[in-house]
Amino acid sequence: MPLDIAAFNSAFSRARDKIRTEPETDIAAQQAALRLLVPDDASEHDRSWTKILIDRLAEPPDPEPEWSALYHEAGQVHADAYRFGAPVEEQIAALEEARRKIFEIADRAVPEEAPHIRAMTRSLEHIERELREPSWPVQPTPDQTE
């Protein structure tokens, strides 16, 4: 019987979340339950990657990064960029300006943090693109009723 990857992934996610949110969780019991989901006749590949994931459950999670003031400044610029309800032109202008400011902030950041700051512009870019060229129907189609 092959490995049911969807069932394993779901069970793994639940176990990982439980371990992270409930400190009293018996990690060994969670690992044992996951091992039971890997059939004896699973492929070597499936046995290998599931073992790695199961074993990693016992490792403490990486500490949350300590972000600099520049990161938090960029986060505030990002949050302030949203102008829902404003005219589309104003929304686009705010998004453009926020992206420009965030890139300027990233240019001043340490090399390890700069890519994380620049990544803040992705969602702004997607929103701006949708405002410029909406992918949803702007006008009701004939099959839509009011």
Side-chain angles (χ1 to χ4, degrees):
M1 166 184 254
L3 172 67
D4 183 341
I5 295 173
F8 178 84
N9 285 343
S10 294
F12 176 80
S13 293
R14 284 190 306 274
R16 184 191 58 217
D17 291 345
K18 183 175 177 109
I19 290 167
R20 288 180 178 171
T21 60
E22 300 174 24
E24 70 285 350
T25 300
D26 183 346
I27 295 172
Q30 295 294 319
Q31 290 174 310
L34 288 168
R35 286 187 185 99
L36 291 174
L37 296 176
V38 182
D40 293 334
D41 63 348
S43 70
E44 180 61 34
H45 172 74
D46 287 343
R47 284 195 311 275
S48 174
W49 69 264
T50 55
K51 180 183 182 326
I52 290 168
L53 289 177
I54 293 168
D55 290 348
R56 284 188 183 158
L57 283 176
E59 297 174 7
D62 291 336
E64 289 294 318
E66 293 186 27
W67 300 111
S68 72
L70 288 173
Y71 182 90
H72 293 292
E73 179 184 347
Q76 188 60 54
V77 169
H78 182 276
D80 292 343
Y82 296 98
R83 305 283 167 81
F84 298 113
V88 170
E89 297 78 21
E90 184 180 322
Q91 291 181 58
I92 290 171
L95 293 165
E96 287 176 330
E97 180 65 10
R99 288 177 40 229
R100 185 190 63 71
K101 286 180 180 178
I102 291 170
F103 275 109
E104 287 177 0
I105 293 167
D107 289 343
R108 298 188 332 251
V110 296
E112 298 79 20
E113 195 171 67
H116 297 282
I117 294 173
R118 284 186 186 93
M120 291 182 197
T121 64
R122 290 188 192 125
S123 61
L124 301 177
E125 184 178 6
H126 292 287
I127 294 169
E128 182 183 334
R129 188 178 307 127
E130 281 296 315
L131 289 169
R132 289 181 188 279
E133 299 176 27
S135 61
W136 65 91
V138 177
Q139 298 296 322
T141 59
D143 61 318
Q144 292 176 321
T145 59
E146 294 189 37

